[in-house]
């Protein structure tokens, strides 16, 4: 096995796998290091997590050859219904009015992970799995990583760039001593699935309540995925309710937009925190996806933001001057961080604004936000801007993957 590579990607999940596919054919030698075997990945409960894919993310996945085999497992979102419980304000966003097939899609992670895994097997990319990262040492010209593989002796790899795509508990981030800024929202997300009396007809509902945002996303077989934000003080009470008590509470908060609801999956709860790496790059290293940031789910932007990290890094790597093709150059990494931090700040600011505005029941603010929703429903220009934001089209889509070299990207801000 070779020990020298241009790019070492730690993490073979969606972020790391998509990055490897995106830079294939860019003239780099690439290795992906994954902590689980293929079988462990296939059986992992993490594959059951639901993802809200923005329209822009789907375009990127198409370019990587990942979407074509996954689309059959996805449910399109053709309309988004936004309302404020107990108040008159509401607005609707429509794919038809935006001239697209869907504003986004809902899909579980497993089909995407399977497509990425299959793509890596066909790609000119080396895989080392299972292996655990235990050391990183970066110099001015190269970076050395040390891997542990079961009971065998440690493996040392040399590269010019190491990318941490290894999730929330990133070993890359820890070993590089990159700190995190954490904001605890004092909330948890209750996640489950319900079967409504009426088919949601490809409509996603975002309902703001004094207790926190509540989203119902269309899923397979006329079901809806539920992401219900509650304060940590309320959480134990809600989780300890009987199934019928829980459904009654959910129905009270959501209303009867879809008729009566029935529970068809266990309830799970996850604490909500904003977690941001204090820097996305350091000497010969970069962080992408959840290794760099974890967001509140209110706007469904977490995975989409991480995929944009991956796509932009890939585009910058492929665009390097062939005569001085150094994937870990300080300029490239600093430019990457400056650009991605702007996008991250924009998304975090938008998310925090929604949380602050729609959980405050002070009457003048409640009146103002509802007048805003009502006005938005009648202002096509403003609604178009919000729709594009929901679709992940706040900026130019990076040109990466199979179509990147020969298709003109016409999607701009």
């Amino acid at each position: 096995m070779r020990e020298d590579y241009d790019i070492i990607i730690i993490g073979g999940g969606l972020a790391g796998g998509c990055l490897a596919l995106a830079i294939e054919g860019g003239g780099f030698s690439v290795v992906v290091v994954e902590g689980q075997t293929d079988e462990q990945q296939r059986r992992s409960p993490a594959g059951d997590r639901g993802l809200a894919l923005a329209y822009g993310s789907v375009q990127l996945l198409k370019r990587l050859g990942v979407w074509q085999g996954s689309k059959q497992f996805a449910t399109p979102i053709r309309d988004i219904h936004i309302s404020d419980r107990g108040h008159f304000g509401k607005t609707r966003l429509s794919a038809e009015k935006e001239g697209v097939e869907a504003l986004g899609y809902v899909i579980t992670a497993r089909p995407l992970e399977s497509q990425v895994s299959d793509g890596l097997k066909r790609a000119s990319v080396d895989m080392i799995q299972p292996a655990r990262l235990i050391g990183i040492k970066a110099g001015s010209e190269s970076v050395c990583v040390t891997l542990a593989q079961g009971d065998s002796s440690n493996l040392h790899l040399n590269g010019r760039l190491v990318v941490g795509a290894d999730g929330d508990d990133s070993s890359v981030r820890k070993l590089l001593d990159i700190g995190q800024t954490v904001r605890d929202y004092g909330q948890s997300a209750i996640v489950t699935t319900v079967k409504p009396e009426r088919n949601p007809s490809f409509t996603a509902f975002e309902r703001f309540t004094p207790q926190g945002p509540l989203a119902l996303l269309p899923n397979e077989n006329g079901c809806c995925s539920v992401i219900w934000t509650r304060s940590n003080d309320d959480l134990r009470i809600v989780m300890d309710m009987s199934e019928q008590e829980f459904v009654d509470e959910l129905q009270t908060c959501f209303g009867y937009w879809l008729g009566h609801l029935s529970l068809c999956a266990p309830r799970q709860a996850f604490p909500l925190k904003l977690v941001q790496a204090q820097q996305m790059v350091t000497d010969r290293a970069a962080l992408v996806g959840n290794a760099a940031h974890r967001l509140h789910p209110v706007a469904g932007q977490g995975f989409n933001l991480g995929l944009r990290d991956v796509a932009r890094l890939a585009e910058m790597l492929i665009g390097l001057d062939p005569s001085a093709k150094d994937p870990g150059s300080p300029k490239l990494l600093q430019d990457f961080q400056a650009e991605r931090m702007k996008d991250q700040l924009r998304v975090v600011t938008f998310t925090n604004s929604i949380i602050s505005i729609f959980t405050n029941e002070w009457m003048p603010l409640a009146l103002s936000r509802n007048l805003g929703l009502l006005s938005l429903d009648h202002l096509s220009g403003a609604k178009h801007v919000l729709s594009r934001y929901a679709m992940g089209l706040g900026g130019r889509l990076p040109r990466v993957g199979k179509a990147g070299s020969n298709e003109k990207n016409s999607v701009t801000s």
Side-chain angles (χ1 to χ4, degrees), residues 381-409:
K383 190 182 289 192
H384 174 65
V385 171
L386 181 59
S387 295
R388 288 182 62 80
Y389 198 97
M391 293 162 65
L393 299 180
R396 181 182 60 81
L397 290 178
R399 290 182 289 178
V400 296
K402 296 176 175 57
S405 59
N406 55 22
E407 275 190 26
K408 187 178 186 301
N409 189 345

PDB file of all heavy atoms in Angstrom, residues 381-409:
ATOM      1  N   GLY A 381     -42.019  39.445  -5.207  1.00  0.00           N
ATOM      2  CA  GLY A 381     -40.575  39.648  -5.211  1.00  0.00           C
ATOM      3  C   GLY A 381     -39.924  39.165  -3.928  1.00  0.00           C
ATOM      4  O   GLY A 381     -38.920  38.452  -3.945  1.00  0.00           O
ATOM      5  N   ALA A 382     -40.517  39.549  -2.793  1.00  0.00           N
ATOM      6  CA  ALA A 382     -39.978  39.133  -1.499  1.00  0.00           C
ATOM      7  C   ALA A 382     -40.116  37.623  -1.326  1.00  0.00           C
ATOM      8  O   ALA A 382     -39.222  36.952  -0.791  1.00  0.00           O
ATOM      9  CB  ALA A 382     -40.702  39.856  -0.368  1.00  0.00           C
ATOM     10  N   LYS A 383     -41.227  37.080  -1.789  1.00  0.00           N
ATOM     11  CA  LYS A 383     -41.432  35.633  -1.673  1.00  0.00           C
ATOM     12  C   LYS A 383     -40.411  34.876  -2.531  1.00  0.00           C
ATOM     13  O   LYS A 383     -39.919  33.809  -2.156  1.00  0.00           O
ATOM     14  CB  LYS A 383     -42.851  35.279  -2.106  1.00  0.00           C
ATOM     15  CG  LYS A 383     -43.225  33.837  -1.775  1.00  0.00           C
ATOM     16  CD  LYS A 383     -44.622  33.489  -2.263  1.00  0.00           C
ATOM     17  CE  LYS A 383     -45.686  34.177  -1.443  1.00  0.00           C
ATOM     18  NZ  LYS A 383     -47.038  33.636  -1.719  1.00  0.00           N
ATOM     19  N   HIS A 384     -40.068  35.433  -3.675  1.00  0.00           N
ATOM     20  CA  HIS A 384     -39.068  34.817  -4.551  1.00  0.00           C
ATOM     21  C   HIS A 384     -37.702  34.761  -3.848  1.00  0.00           C
ATOM     22  O   HIS A 384     -37.005  33.741  -3.914  1.00  0.00           O
ATOM     23  CB  HIS A 384     -38.956  35.621  -5.849  1.00  0.00           C
ATOM     24  CG  HIS A 384     -37.862  35.170  -6.768  1.00  0.00           C
ATOM     25  ND1 HIS A 384     -37.861  33.933  -7.375  1.00  0.00           N
ATOM     26  CD2 HIS A 384     -36.713  35.794  -7.166  1.00  0.00           C
ATOM     27  CE1 HIS A 384     -36.763  33.815  -8.112  1.00  0.00           C
ATOM     28  NE2 HIS A 384     -36.062  34.925  -8.004  1.00  0.00           N
ATOM     29  N   VAL A 385     -37.344  35.840  -3.164  1.00  0.00           N
ATOM     30  CA  VAL A 385     -36.068  35.869  -2.439  1.00  0.00           C
ATOM     31  C   VAL A 385     -36.055  34.801  -1.352  1.00  0.00           C
ATOM     32  O   VAL A 385     -35.075  34.059  -1.192  1.00  0.00           O
ATOM     33  CB  VAL A 385     -35.825  37.265  -1.823  1.00  0.00           C
ATOM     34  CG1 VAL A 385     -34.625  37.236  -0.885  1.00  0.00           C
ATOM     35  CG2 VAL A 385     -35.611  38.299  -2.928  1.00  0.00           C
ATOM     36  N   LEU A 386     -37.139  34.701  -0.573  1.00  0.00           N
ATOM     37  CA  LEU A 386     -37.214  33.695   0.487  1.00  0.00           C
ATOM     38  C   LEU A 386     -37.194  32.288  -0.099  1.00  0.00           C
ATOM     39  O   LEU A 386     -36.546  31.387   0.445  1.00  0.00           O
ATOM     40  CB  LEU A 386     -38.484  33.897   1.315  1.00  0.00           C
ATOM     41  CG  LEU A 386     -38.691  32.927   2.500  1.00  0.00           C
ATOM     42  CD1 LEU A 386     -37.528  33.018   3.468  1.00  0.00           C
ATOM     43  CD2 LEU A 386     -40.009  33.234   3.220  1.00  0.00           C
ATOM     44  N   SER A 387     -37.862  32.081  -1.213  1.00  0.00           N
ATOM     45  CA  SER A 387     -37.883  30.766  -1.856  1.00  0.00           C
ATOM     46  C   SER A 387     -36.483  30.356  -2.294  1.00  0.00           C
ATOM     47  O   SER A 387     -36.064  29.209  -2.105  1.00  0.00           O
ATOM     48  CB  SER A 387     -38.817  30.771  -3.073  1.00  0.00           C
ATOM     49  OG  SER A 387     -40.157  30.982  -2.689  1.00  0.00           O
ATOM     50  N   ARG A 388     -35.736  31.304  -2.868  1.00  0.00           N
ATOM     51  CA  ARG A 388     -34.380  30.994  -3.308  1.00  0.00           C
ATOM     52  C   ARG A 388     -33.490  30.665  -2.116  1.00  0.00           C
ATOM     53  O   ARG A 388     -32.608  29.815  -2.206  1.00  0.00           O
ATOM     54  CB  ARG A 388     -33.802  32.158  -4.112  1.00  0.00           C
ATOM     55  CG  ARG A 388     -34.433  32.305  -5.484  1.00  0.00           C
ATOM     56  CD  ARG A 388     -33.799  33.427  -6.269  1.00  0.00           C
ATOM     57  NE  ARG A 388     -32.389  33.189  -6.527  1.00  0.00           N
ATOM     58  CZ  ARG A 388     -31.921  32.402  -7.484  1.00  0.00           C
ATOM     59  NH1 ARG A 388     -32.750  31.742  -8.265  1.00  0.00           N
ATOM     60  NH2 ARG A 388     -30.629  32.256  -7.676  1.00  0.00           N
ATOM     61  N   TYR A 389     -33.712  31.349  -1.008  1.00  0.00           N
ATOM     62  CA  TYR A 389     -32.936  31.048   0.190  1.00  0.00           C
ATOM     63  C   TYR A 389     -33.256  29.638   0.673  1.00  0.00           C
ATOM     64  O   TYR A 389     -32.360  28.850   1.002  1.00  0.00           O
ATOM     65  CB  TYR A 389     -33.235  32.068   1.292  1.00  0.00           C
ATOM     66  CG  TYR A 389     -32.181  32.097   2.372  1.00  0.00           C
ATOM     67  CD1 TYR A 389     -31.165  33.034   2.346  1.00  0.00           C
ATOM     68  CD2 TYR A 389     -32.199  31.164   3.403  1.00  0.00           C
ATOM     69  CE1 TYR A 389     -30.195  33.048   3.324  1.00  0.00           C
ATOM     70  CE2 TYR A 389     -31.238  31.171   4.388  1.00  0.00           C
ATOM     71  CZ  TYR A 389     -30.233  32.115   4.345  1.00  0.00           C
ATOM     72  OH  TYR A 389     -29.264  32.126   5.300  1.00  0.00           O
ATOM     73  N   ALA A 390     -34.547  29.289   0.696  1.00  0.00           N
ATOM     74  CA  ALA A 390     -34.951  27.944   1.112  1.00  0.00           C
ATOM     75  C   ALA A 390     -34.402  26.884   0.166  1.00  0.00           C
ATOM     76  O   ALA A 390     -34.117  25.753   0.575  1.00  0.00           O
ATOM     77  CB  ALA A 390     -36.476  27.852   1.164  1.00  0.00           C
ATOM     78  N   MET A 391     -34.215  27.248  -1.102  1.00  0.00           N
ATOM     79  CA  MET A 391     -33.706  26.312  -2.101  1.00  0.00           C
ATOM     80  C   MET A 391     -32.187  26.227  -2.098  1.00  0.00           C
ATOM     81  O   MET A 391     -31.609  25.472  -2.887  1.00  0.00           O
ATOM     82  CB  MET A 391     -34.194  26.743  -3.497  1.00  0.00           C
ATOM     83  CG  MET A 391     -35.698  26.606  -3.691  1.00  0.00           C
ATOM     84  SD  MET A 391     -36.300  27.574  -5.092  1.00  0.00           S
ATOM     85  CE  MET A 391     -35.492  26.753  -6.460  1.00  0.00           C
ATOM     86  N   GLY A 392     -31.537  27.002  -1.233  1.00  0.00           N
ATOM     87  CA  GLY A 392     -30.077  26.974  -1.178  1.00  0.00           C
ATOM     88  C   GLY A 392     -29.426  27.669  -2.352  1.00  0.00           C
ATOM     89  O   GLY A 392     -28.312  27.322  -2.760  1.00  0.00           O
ATOM     90  N   LEU A 393     -30.105  28.690  -2.890  1.00  0.00           N
ATOM     91  CA  LEU A 393     -29.580  29.407  -4.051  1.00  0.00           C
ATOM     92  C   LEU A 393     -29.205  30.832  -3.694  1.00  0.00           C
ATOM     93  O   LEU A 393     -29.417  31.759  -4.467  1.00  0.00           O
ATOM     94  CB  LEU A 393     -30.616  29.404  -5.191  1.00  0.00           C
ATOM     95  CG  LEU A 393     -31.019  28.021  -5.711  1.00  0.00           C
ATOM     96  CD1 LEU A 393     -32.044  28.164  -6.823  1.00  0.00           C
ATOM     97  CD2 LEU A 393     -29.803  27.253  -6.197  1.00  0.00           C
ATOM     98  N   GLY A 394     -28.619  31.002  -2.510  1.00  0.00           N
ATOM     99  CA  GLY A 394     -28.195  32.338  -2.114  1.00  0.00           C
ATOM    100  C   GLY A 394     -26.952  32.804  -2.836  1.00  0.00           C
ATOM    101  O   GLY A 394     -26.564  33.955  -2.762  1.00  0.00           O
ATOM    102  N   GLY A 395     -26.301  31.910  -3.562  1.00  0.00           N
ATOM    103  CA  GLY A 395     -25.099  32.263  -4.296  1.00  0.00           C
ATOM    104  C   GLY A 395     -24.905  31.306  -5.458  1.00  0.00           C
ATOM    105  O   GLY A 395     -25.715  30.421  -5.708  1.00  0.00           O
ATOM    106  N   ARG A 396     -23.808  31.463  -6.188  1.00  0.00           N
ATOM    107  CA  ARG A 396     -23.519  30.607  -7.337  1.00  0.00           C
ATOM    108  C   ARG A 396     -23.236  29.186  -6.871  1.00  0.00           C
ATOM    109  O   ARG A 396     -22.539  28.961  -5.882  1.00  0.00           O
ATOM    110  CB  ARG A 396     -22.296  31.158  -8.072  1.00  0.00           C
ATOM    111  CG  ARG A 396     -21.906  30.366  -9.298  1.00  0.00           C
ATOM    112  CD  ARG A 396     -20.646  30.954  -9.930  1.00  0.00           C
ATOM    113  NE  ARG A 396     -19.542  30.913  -8.982  1.00  0.00           N
ATOM    114  CZ  ARG A 396     -18.803  29.836  -8.743  1.00  0.00           C
ATOM    115  NH1 ARG A 396     -19.090  28.702  -9.346  1.00  0.00           N
ATOM    116  NH2 ARG A 396     -17.801  29.871  -7.885  1.00  0.00           N
ATOM    117  N   LEU A 397     -23.779  28.205  -7.580  1.00  0.00           N
ATOM    118  CA  LEU A 397     -23.490  26.815  -7.262  1.00  0.00           C
ATOM    119  C   LEU A 397     -22.095  26.470  -7.758  1.00  0.00           C
ATOM    120  O   LEU A 397     -21.774  26.696  -8.926  1.00  0.00           O
ATOM    121  CB  LEU A 397     -24.498  25.888  -7.946  1.00  0.00           C
ATOM    122  CG  LEU A 397     -25.935  25.910  -7.416  1.00  0.00           C
ATOM    123  CD1 LEU A 397     -26.779  24.969  -8.255  1.00  0.00           C
ATOM    124  CD2 LEU A 397     -25.984  25.519  -5.960  1.00  0.00           C
ATOM    125  N   PRO A 398     -21.235  25.909  -6.903  1.00  0.00           N
ATOM    126  CA  PRO A 398     -19.905  25.501  -7.366  1.00  0.00           C
ATOM    127  C   PRO A 398     -20.018  24.479  -8.490  1.00  0.00           C
ATOM    128  O   PRO A 398     -20.876  23.596  -8.469  1.00  0.00           O
ATOM    129  CB  PRO A 398     -19.274  24.887  -6.107  1.00  0.00           C
ATOM    130  CG  PRO A 398     -20.001  25.518  -4.965  1.00  0.00           C
ATOM    131  CD  PRO A 398     -21.402  25.701  -5.455  1.00  0.00           C
ATOM    132  N   ARG A 399     -19.123  24.588  -9.464  1.00  0.00           N
ATOM    133  CA  ARG A 399     -19.136  23.663 -10.597  1.00  0.00           C
ATOM    134  C   ARG A 399     -18.176  22.520 -10.305  1.00  0.00           C
ATOM    135  O   ARG A 399     -16.962  22.653 -10.498  1.00  0.00           O
ATOM    136  CB  ARG A 399     -18.765  24.394 -11.885  1.00  0.00           C
ATOM    137  CG  ARG A 399     -19.847  25.360 -12.343  1.00  0.00           C
ATOM    138  CD  ARG A 399     -19.479  26.042 -13.633  1.00  0.00           C
ATOM    139  NE  ARG A 399     -18.403  26.996 -13.430  1.00  0.00           N
ATOM    140  CZ  ARG A 399     -17.869  27.711 -14.421  1.00  0.00           C
ATOM    141  NH1 ARG A 399     -18.292  27.555 -15.653  1.00  0.00           N
ATOM    142  NH2 ARG A 399     -16.903  28.573 -14.168  1.00  0.00           N
ATOM    143  N   VAL A 400     -18.706  21.420  -9.845  1.00  0.00           N
ATOM    144  CA  VAL A 400     -17.877  20.276  -9.500  1.00  0.00           C
ATOM    145  C   VAL A 400     -18.517  19.018 -10.052  1.00  0.00           C
ATOM    146  O   VAL A 400     -19.682  19.002 -10.418  1.00  0.00           O
ATOM    147  CB  VAL A 400     -17.723  20.119  -7.968  1.00  0.00           C
ATOM    148  CG1 VAL A 400     -17.001  21.308  -7.386  1.00  0.00           C
ATOM    149  CG2 VAL A 400     -19.082  19.946  -7.293  1.00  0.00           C
ATOM    150  N   GLY A 401     -17.731  17.945 -10.091  1.00  0.00           N
ATOM    151  CA  GLY A 401     -18.270  16.665 -10.503  1.00  0.00           C
ATOM    152  C   GLY A 401     -18.277  16.491 -12.004  1.00  0.00           C
ATOM    153  O   GLY A 401     -17.644  17.229 -12.750  1.00  0.00           O
ATOM    154  N   LYS A 402     -19.030  15.509 -12.457  1.00  0.00           N
ATOM    155  CA  LYS A 402     -18.986  15.094 -13.852  1.00  0.00           C
ATOM    156  C   LYS A 402     -19.407  16.187 -14.815  1.00  0.00           C
ATOM    157  O   LYS A 402     -18.933  16.262 -15.930  1.00  0.00           O
ATOM    158  CB  LYS A 402     -19.874  13.857 -14.046  1.00  0.00           C
ATOM    159  CG  LYS A 402     -19.359  12.652 -13.253  1.00  0.00           C
ATOM    160  CD  LYS A 402     -20.303  11.488 -13.383  1.00  0.00           C
ATOM    161  CE  LYS A 402     -19.755  10.239 -12.690  1.00  0.00           C
ATOM    162  NZ  LYS A 402     -19.470  10.441 -11.275  1.00  0.00           N
ATOM    163  N   ALA A 403     -20.331  17.060 -14.384  1.00  0.00           N
ATOM    164  CA  ALA A 403     -20.799  18.120 -15.283  1.00  0.00           C
ATOM    165  C   ALA A 403     -20.013  19.390 -15.108  1.00  0.00           C
ATOM    166  O   ALA A 403     -20.165  20.328 -15.861  1.00  0.00           O
ATOM    167  CB  ALA A 403     -22.291  18.397 -15.036  1.00  0.00           C
ATOM    168  N   GLY A 404     -19.142  19.420 -14.126  1.00  0.00           N
ATOM    169  CA  GLY A 404     -18.501  20.665 -13.762  1.00  0.00           C
ATOM    170  C   GLY A 404     -17.617  21.248 -14.827  1.00  0.00           C
ATOM    171  O   GLY A 404     -17.462  22.455 -14.946  1.00  0.00           O
ATOM    172  N   SER A 405     -16.989  20.393 -15.666  1.00  0.00           N
ATOM    173  CA  SER A 405     -16.017  20.909 -16.608  1.00  0.00           C
ATOM    174  C   SER A 405     -16.620  21.360 -17.925  1.00  0.00           C
ATOM    175  O   SER A 405     -15.994  22.056 -18.692  1.00  0.00           O
ATOM    176  CB  SER A 405     -14.971  19.822 -16.901  1.00  0.00           C
ATOM    177  OG  SER A 405     -15.608  18.670 -17.432  1.00  0.00           O
ATOM    178  N   ASN A 406     -17.880  20.957 -18.177  1.00  0.00           N
ATOM    179  CA  ASN A 406     -18.413  21.290 -19.491  1.00  0.00           C
ATOM    180  C   ASN A 406     -19.816  21.861 -19.486  1.00  0.00           C
ATOM    181  O   ASN A 406     -20.406  22.053 -20.509  1.00  0.00           O
ATOM    182  CB  ASN A 406     -18.381  20.043 -20.400  1.00  0.00           C
ATOM    183  CG  ASN A 406     -19.110  18.871 -19.776  1.00  0.00           C
ATOM    184  OD1 ASN A 406     -19.952  19.060 -18.916  1.00  0.00           O
ATOM    185  ND2 ASN A 406     -18.758  17.658 -20.218  1.00  0.00           N
ATOM    186  N   GLU A 407     -20.370  22.128 -18.312  1.00  0.00           N
ATOM    187  CA  GLU A 407     -21.693  22.740 -18.242  1.00  0.00           C
ATOM    188  C   GLU A 407     -21.583  24.133 -17.662  1.00  0.00           C
ATOM    189  O   GLU A 407     -20.955  24.337 -16.639  1.00  0.00           O
ATOM    190  CB  GLU A 407     -22.622  21.910 -17.338  1.00  0.00           C
ATOM    191  CG  GLU A 407     -23.289  20.773 -18.063  1.00  0.00           C
ATOM    192  CD  GLU A 407     -24.367  20.132 -17.202  1.00  0.00           C
ATOM    193  OE1 GLU A 407     -24.913  20.837 -16.312  1.00  0.00           O
ATOM    194  OE2 GLU A 407     -24.663  18.956 -17.407  1.00  0.00           O
ATOM    195  N   LYS A 408     -22.220  25.062 -18.324  1.00  0.00           N
ATOM    196  CA  LYS A 408     -22.241  26.409 -17.790  1.00  0.00           C
ATOM    197  C   LYS A 408     -23.269  26.465 -16.666  1.00  0.00           C
ATOM    198  O   LYS A 408     -24.409  26.059 -16.852  1.00  0.00           O
ATOM    199  CB  LYS A 408     -22.604  27.410 -18.881  1.00  0.00           C
ATOM    200  CG  LYS A 408     -22.490  28.862 -18.431  1.00  0.00           C
ATOM    201  CD  LYS A 408     -22.806  29.793 -19.575  1.00  0.00           C
ATOM    202  CE  LYS A 408     -22.551  31.235 -19.208  1.00  0.00           C
ATOM    203  NZ  LYS A 408     -23.319  31.714 -18.076  1.00  0.00           N
ATOM    204  N   ASN A 409     -22.857  26.958 -15.522  1.00  0.00           N
ATOM    205  CA  ASN A 409     -23.778  27.033 -14.387  1.00  0.00           C
ATOM    206  C   ASN A 409     -24.544  28.346 -14.442  1.00  0.00           C
ATOM    207  O   ASN A 409     -23.976  29.408 -14.325  1.00  0.00           O
ATOM    208  CB  ASN A 409     -22.986  26.937 -13.072  1.00  0.00           C
ATOM    209  CG  ASN A 409     -23.892  26.791 -11.885  1.00  0.00           C
ATOM    210  OD1 ASN A 409     -25.086  27.025 -11.983  1.00  0.00           O
ATOM    211  ND2 ASN A 409     -23.316  26.405 -10.778  1.00  0.00           N
TER     212      ASN A 409
END
